[in-house]
């Protein structure tokens, strides 16, 4: 039987009951039998999950909560914290995955029996996967430590039966990372896949700043076949909880030997004798306290002792020191590392000895911090026997693929452009120049006083097309402005306000006149994702969803999509071009019954300012729209269609204005560029 150890906040209670937090506050005031807080603070109390479930069930308020949500609530409210809960869950799921019959044996009976019996079989699974207890990052939890987790472990095993052990752990870990965005620096999936492609096939892979294991997982996935026990995935992180979570995550994904260590990599390298085939790394940026004073005579500084402000160059040399001869390292670097004067001597030596093979500038938005165009450095361990330095270095800039909207980076286009340049260069040492995108630069050309490796400073500008291209843009702008003039709404005859009988979206949903869905946080379908920013900006679907077993909500023509965060009166009718895209986060989808509601009528009235104001609530940093409270007039379908046609015409006018704005910006920028590079005459 579940103990009262798992706690839940008011927000969690609201999710369990399918209501807003204000309703929970009202219940606490109005019902004397509402469970008393067992923890938290006066302003943010927490309650025993079992007591809350019993009370909601007795009141008939307990919503049908999916199993995964119930398990997540237990993780989030675990008395020892969510990280400990995730580690215990990961250990149990590894047992479920590797030895399911053993799990069935130990889980029979009470929670106390489960906690007492579990450590021994866990140790039998963890030791062969992670090594001796004194060396591994995942220690076998004791019976006393497992006792508060026993109900959670049963629920997690039930979730594994529904999804499988790997997907269950990925879901719970993903929810934890989403709930703590400022606590972890994550490597996006698309970037991790690109870094794995650049690293190439490898039997032994090291990530010396492994975080949550995204890069090692991407390398294992890029092998093209399931990893075997001959492959080694090694990781180290200064945070013990990340080293443990990475080990469990990788063990559930692959049969490779997994070794992770919890220690400061630069000060206490756990893999000092390793010579890996590949190193992938997303190191911490701009660290001053990286060990400059105590590591002055460390043998890893083969290319020069890094300055206190050059922690990234310390990570570069650490990566090279852990490679076998000919091994490849791929590091994510801040753009300043390519040009800071304090690092020019180390950069020069990396070039002279042929260790630095490529510097690739990524578009802004590729990874945190999202406002910077981060770089990828690709390095190769030089041969021990002195050889002639490589005469050229590949410099590439993928800034042309910068997304027009948040979350819309086209990783497939970036990956294709980078690999199309890197792979032939890696084979032959040279590749044809692509103006504005990539160029092989002779090393001697870079060995000046600055040794500036920023790709944009060494690439020829892309072919602008000069006057011909600008003439085409100007013609398109002229046509668009003429269309805008034709679509301008006619003068509106004033009349007094009309007071229609009103209904709400919630009532229409209950009556079957429309379906109401909300965007998800994951999915296995590889389709474009319509984001809230796409809806606000009127652009095509541009986002992606993390891989999970959650079924994405796919849009259909005629659906009406409404952003629920950030305020504003916006509603978008899905057209044939957008249909089939997955619904992103912070969006609500309304699917009207065509026999009862006209979609353009629906979308038009949802955009009313007064309508949005009365349906919005305000937090400290955001405005949230309660879609169910939005109102519509009760009108017959024929009259709806009259309004719908007018709303459709307004939407077309709005889109044409947006296009005119984009073309105008393009023309102005092209004129500035043409006049400054000499491709356009000033007269």
């Amino acid at each position: 039987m579940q103990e009262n150890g798992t706690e839940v906040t008011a927000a969690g209670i609201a999710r369990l009951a399918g209501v807003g937090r204000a309703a929970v506050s009202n219940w606490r005031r109005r019902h004397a039998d509402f469970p008393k807080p067992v923890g938290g603070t006066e302003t943010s109390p927490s309650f025993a999950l079992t007591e809350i479930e019993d009370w909601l069930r007795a009141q008939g308020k307990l919503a049908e909560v999916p199993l995964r949500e119930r398990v997540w609530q237990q993780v989030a409210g675990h008395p020892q914290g969510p990280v400990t809960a995730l580690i215990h869950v990961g250990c149990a799921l590894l047992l479920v995955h590797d030895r399911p019959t053993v799990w069935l044996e130990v889980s029979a009976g009470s929670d106390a029996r489960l906690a007492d019996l579990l450590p021994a079989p866990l140790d039998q699974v963890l030791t062969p996967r992670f090594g001796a207890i004194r060396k591994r990052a995942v220690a076998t939890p004791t019976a006393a430590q497992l006792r508060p987790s026993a109900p959670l472990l049963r629920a997690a095993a039930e979730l594994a039966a529904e999804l499988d052990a790997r997907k269950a752990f990925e879901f719970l870990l993903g929810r934890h990372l989403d709930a703590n965005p400022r606590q972890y620096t994550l490597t996006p999936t698309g970037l991790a896949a690109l870094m794995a492609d650049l690293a190439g096939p490898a039997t032994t892979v090291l990530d010396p700043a492994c975080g949550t294991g995204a890069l090692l997982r991407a390398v294992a996935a890029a092998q093209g076949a399931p990893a075997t026990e001959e492959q080694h995935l090694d990781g180290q992180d200064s945070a013990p909880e990340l080293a443990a979570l990475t080990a469990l995550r990788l063990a559930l994904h692959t049969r490779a030997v997994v070794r992770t260590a919890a220690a400061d990599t630069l000060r206490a390298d756990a893999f000092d004798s390793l010579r890996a085939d590949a190193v992938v790394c997303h190191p911490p940026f701009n660290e001053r306290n990286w060990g400059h004073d105590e590591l002055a005579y460390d043998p890893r500084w083969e290319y020069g002792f890094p300055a206190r402000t050059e922690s990234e160059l310390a990570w570069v040399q650490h990566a090279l020191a852990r490679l076998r001869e000919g091994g490849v390292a791929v590091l994510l670097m801040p753009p300043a590392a390519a040009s800071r004067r304090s690092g020019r001597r180390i950069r020069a030596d990396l070039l002279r000895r042929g260790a630095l093979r490529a510097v690739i500038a990524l578009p802004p938005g590729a990874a945190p911090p999202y406002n910077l165009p981060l770089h990828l450095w690709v390095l190769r361990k030089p041969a021990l026997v002195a050889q002639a330095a490589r005469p050229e270095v590949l410099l590439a800039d993928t800034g042309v693929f910068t997304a027009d909207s948040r979350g819309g980076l086209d990783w497939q286009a970036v990956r294709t452009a980078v690999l199309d340049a890197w792979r032939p260069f890696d084979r032959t040492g040279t590749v044809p120049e692509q103006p504005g995108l990539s160029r092989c630069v002779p090393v001697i050309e870079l060995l000046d006083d600055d040794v500036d490796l920023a790709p944009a400073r060494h690439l020829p500008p892309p072919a602008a097309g000069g006057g011909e291209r600008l003439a085409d843009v100007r013609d398109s702008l002229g046509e668009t402005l003429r269309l805008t003039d034709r679509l301008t709404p006619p003068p509106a005859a004033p009349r007094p306000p009309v007071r229609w009988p009103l209904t709400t979206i919630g009532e229409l949903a209950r009556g079957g006149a429309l379906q109401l869905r909300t965007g998800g946080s994951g999915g296995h379908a590889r389709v474009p994702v319509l984001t809230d920013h796409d809806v606000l900006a009127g652009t095509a679907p541009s986002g992606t969803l993390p891989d999970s077993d959650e079924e994405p909500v796919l849009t259909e023509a005629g659906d009406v999509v409404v952003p629920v965060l950030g305020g504003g009166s916006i509603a978008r009718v899905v057209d044939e071009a957008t249909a089939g895209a997955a619904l992103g986060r912070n969006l609500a989808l309304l699917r009207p019954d065509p026999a009862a509601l006209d979609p353009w009528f629906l979308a038009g009235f949802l955009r009313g300012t007064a309508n949005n104001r009365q349906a919005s609530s305000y937090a400290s940093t955001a405005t949230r729209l309660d879609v169910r409270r939005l109102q519509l007039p009760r009108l017959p379908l024929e009259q709806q269609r009259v309004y719908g046609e007018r709303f459709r015409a307004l939407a077309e006018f709005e889109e044409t204005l947006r296009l005119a704005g984009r073309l105008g910006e393009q023309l102005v920028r092209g004129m500035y560029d043409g006049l400054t590079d000499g491709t356009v005459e000033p007269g």
Side-chain angles (χ1 to χ4, degrees), residues 266-312:
L266 295 181
R267 289 186 173 92
D269 183 14
F271 299 99
D272 54 354
S273 61
L274 179 68
R275 297 299 176 264
D277 299 318
V279 174
V280 287
C281 187
H282 178 172
F285 296 161
N286 302 319
E287 278 199 334
R288 295 299 180 96
N289 184 27
W290 58 267
H292 177 270
D293 294 337
E294 59 262 48
L295 298 174
Y297 300 102
D298 195 288
R300 287 172 291 182
W301 316 141
E302 189 176 343
Y303 300 87
F305 180 41
R308 189 183 302 277
T309 56
E310 293 289 353
S311 62
E312 295 86 8

Side-chain angles (χ1 to χ4, degrees), residues 145-393:
Q145 292 169 333
L146 288 171
R147 204 157 284 126
S149 301
L152 168 62
L153 302 186
R154 293 186 189 278
E158 187 180 349
L159 184 61
E162 181 181 294
L163 302 179
D164 82 30
R166 177 185 65 82
K167 291 178 180 177
F169 189 72
E170 282 296 315
F171 166 74
L172 296 172
L173 178 60
R175 286 291 296 267
H176 174 65
L177 298 177
D178 288 344
N180 300 276
R182 297 183 180 180
Q183 188 174 344
Y184 304 102
T185 300
L186 304 181
T187 307
T189 302
L191 175 58
L194 174 59
M195 293 175 69
D197 288 332
L198 290 168
T203 299
T204 303
V205 185
L206 170 68
D207 183 350
C210 64
T212 59
L215 291 177
L216 290 173
R217 180 188 172 196
V219 170
Q223 299 296 323
T228 68
E229 295 179 2
E230 297 177 357
Q231 294 175 311
H232 289 72
L233 300 176
D234 301 325
Q236 183 167 348
D237 199 277
S238 58
E241 67 273 13
L242 291 181
L245 291 174
T246 292
L248 292 166
R249 188 183 197 187
L250 294 173
L252 285 165
H253 274 83
T254 175
R255 296 302 304 177
V257 175
V258 176
R259 297 183 301 177
T260 62
D264 184 317
T265 295
L266 295 181
R267 289 186 173 92
D269 183 14
F271 299 99
D272 54 354
S273 61
L274 179 68
R275 297 299 176 264
D277 299 318
V279 174
V280 287
C281 187
H282 178 172
F285 296 161
N286 302 319
E287 278 199 334
R288 295 299 180 96
N289 184 27
W290 58 267
H292 177 270
D293 294 337
E294 59 262 48
L295 298 174
Y297 300 102
D298 195 288
R300 287 172 291 182
W301 316 141
E302 189 176 343
Y303 300 87
F305 180 41
R308 189 183 302 277
T309 56
E310 293 289 353
S311 62
E312 295 86 8
L313 293 182
W315 286 96
V316 164
Q317 295 191 76
H318 173 82
L320 285 167
R322 296 297 160 259
L323 285 173
R324 63 164 175 80
E325 184 178 324
V328 175
V330 183
L331 285 85
L332 184 67
M333 302 283 281
S339 55
R340 280 189 298 239
R341 288 190 61 81
S342 54
R344 65 189 187 277
R345 292 183 179 177
I346 294 177
R347 293 196 298 271
D349 208 32
L350 290 169
L351 290 172
R352 289 191 191 97
R353 299 175 59 181
L356 183 60
R357 305 298 298 121
V359 176
I360 300 161
L362 298 169
Y370 289 108
N371 60 317
L372 293 179
L374 301 178
H375 290 178
L376 289 176
W377 285 24
V378 186
L379 304 107
R380 190 179 297 278
K381 177 82 166 183
L384 296 177
V385 178
Q387 296 180 350
R390 302 277 184 152
E392 294 182 329
V393 172

Side-chain angles (χ1 to χ4, degrees), residues 587-612:
L587 290 175
L589 179 144
L590 308 176
R591 182 164 294 161
D593 180 350
L597 284 173
D598 179 81
W600 286 101
F601 163 81
L602 173 62
F605 273 94
L606 295 188
R607 292 190 62 169
T609 302
N611 199 6
N612 275 261

Side-chain angles (χ1 to χ4, degrees), residues 17 21 98 105 206 407 434 536 643:
R21 290 188 61 177
D98 286 3
E105 291 173 5
L206 170 68
Q434 298 185 62
L536 293 169
Y643 276 94

Side-chain angles (χ1 to χ4, degrees), residues 392-437:
E392 294 182 329
V393 172
L394 175 66
L395 300 182
D397 188 345
T398 60
V400 67
F401 301 108
T402 300
D404 293 329
S405 57
R406 183 180 60 202
L409 190 62
D410 187 349
W411 275 112
Q412 185 57 46
V414 173
R415 176 181 180 274
T416 300
V418 170
L419 296 182
D420 283 353
W422 165 252
R423 284 172 174 164
F425 174 79
D426 189 37
R427 289 193 303 268
T428 65
T430 189
V431 70
E433 178 182 293
Q434 298 185 62
L437 186 59

